[in-house]
Amino acid sequence: MSAPIATRALAAFRSPTVRVAALAALAVGVGVLYLFTDLPGKWEYALGLRWRTVAGMVIAAAAVGVATVLFQTITANRILTPGIMGFDAIFLAIQTLTAFAIGPALLVSAPPFASWIVELVLMGGSIVLLYWWLFLRRRLDLHVIVLAGLVLGVLFRSVTAFLQRLLDPDTFAIVQNLTFASFTSVDRELLVPTAVLVAAAIASLWPIRRALDVLSLGEASAISLGVEHRRVVMHAIIAIAAMVAASTALVGPVTFFGLIVANLAYGAVGHRHVRSIPGAIAIGTIALVGGQLILDRLLGFGTELPVVIEFVGGLFFIILVLTGRAR
């Protein structure tokens, strides 16, 4: 009796929908473990801090994971991410230019929600305007636009590095603290607006989910099958800009996290967006919450989670390039 049951269970698990459900259940389980294991005596305060950390990680996982899946869909490339393309470099430039122009006092003392709005508008607006001008007004090829994004990302990082060398040590330390990703010091006031914006961006993708699947076949194939290529791509870019800007303003830049999450989602549940998007969210949540759980409970805060993510992501990037799995 047990063998047929095991065979049926194994056959059911081969279904991508079942795997998505299993990943979601695992993400919930990891979150529960993080919240309720090793609670101290004054558990109310500790539980409140953990809830804020888990909420920030789920929002970041959803925003970065979905944005990367979308970006790799429209570029037909499995190693390009918004972070590699320089979207995060805009955030670093904004923080450095603000500190350089008006000093660190206003940068630190500004209300969190006001700073979040300014960063969101500057980051998201600049990304959308750039791609709108190049893609719709100039009607350049998407691959030329991707190359332009890479060049501009390098330019922003170079200018940021130069300006940081001109800052005094105290201001430089403040800027470094603001531009380093942190999942454990998320501002509670920003959780709800960020969650609403990310949820709205993801929900806007539902009407074009089938067009995105067709877009994965390439521009020529998508157009021949009746997809309004430029409209769908611009819709995706606006959603990507909103999610990347909101996530970066909340937790800071994480360059390689989306690369790991998106490619693991493809391997686990396939490329159809109705499954790869929730799969990426679940895998991102497992990676962030599970990684923080291991660091907190087993390693005793031996290192910061973003450092581990960037190290593993860099290795993963090299493996994808060397094995020829970019497409």
Side-chain angles (χ1 to χ4, degrees), residues 64-295:
V64 177
V66 176
T68 304
V69 169
L70 286 180
F71 196 77
Q72 292 182 351
T73 295
I74 65 177
T75 59
N77 193 300
R78 292 179 60 181
I79 64 174
L80 289 179
T81 69
I84 294 174
M85 286 292 299
F87 286 17
D88 295 345
I90 299 175
F91 173 78
L92 302 178
I94 291 171
Q95 300 292 341
T96 304
L97 287 172
T98 303
F100 191 82
I102 63 177
L106 183 59
L107 192 64
V108 174
S109 61
F113 185 72
S115 299
W116 182 81
I117 289 292
V118 171
E119 292 164 4
L120 183 68
V121 171
L122 291 177
M123 284 185 62
S126 58
I127 293 168
V128 171
L129 284 175
L130 174 65
Y131 277 80
W132 172 81
W133 180 61
L134 293 175
F135 192 60
L136 294 183
R137 290 295 299 273
R138 298 291 303 275
R139 302 187 72 83
L140 296 177
D141 183 79
L142 186 60
H143 296 90
V144 176
I145 297 172
V146 170
L147 179 60
L150 287 170
V151 173
L152 288 174
V154 173
L155 175 63
F156 279 125
R157 291 188 179 95
S158 300
V159 172
T160 300
F162 173 73
L163 292 177
Q164 287 180 350
R165 291 178 180 273
L166 302 180
L167 298 173
D168 62 83
D170 293 336
T171 305
F172 177 77
I174 293 173
V175 172
Q176 284 291 94
N177 182 61
L178 291 174
T179 55
F180 187 77
S182 176
F183 299 104
T184 56
S185 58
V186 178
D187 196 297
R188 190 188 305 270
E189 183 181 346
L190 304 180
L191 288 175
V192 173
T194 306
V196 170
L197 181 59
V198 172
I202 295 175
S204 74
L205 302 175
W206 180 257
I208 63 168
R209 65 193 184 281
R210 293 187 178 89
L212 289 171
D213 291 337
V214 177
L215 205 63
S216 305
L217 303 175
E219 180 179 353
S221 298
I223 293 174
S224 66
L225 291 171
V227 172
E228 297 180 50
H229 181 263
R230 291 188 176 270
R231 181 185 66 82
V232 174
V233 169
M234 201 63 215
H235 184 153
I237 288 173
I238 292 172
I240 291 168
M243 287 185 284
V244 170
S247 172
T248 306
L250 179 69
V251 300
V254 279
T255 303
F256 289 110
F257 177 64
L259 177 73
I260 302 172
V261 168
N263 282 278
L264 290 179
Y266 302 148
V269 299
H271 287 264
R272 288 194 62 185
H273 291 79
V274 73
R275 294 192 291 262
S276 63
I277 286 178
I281 295 172
I283 291 173
T285 301
I286 294 168
L288 290 181
V289 180
Q292 193 65 46
L293 180 66
I294 293 172
L295 289 178

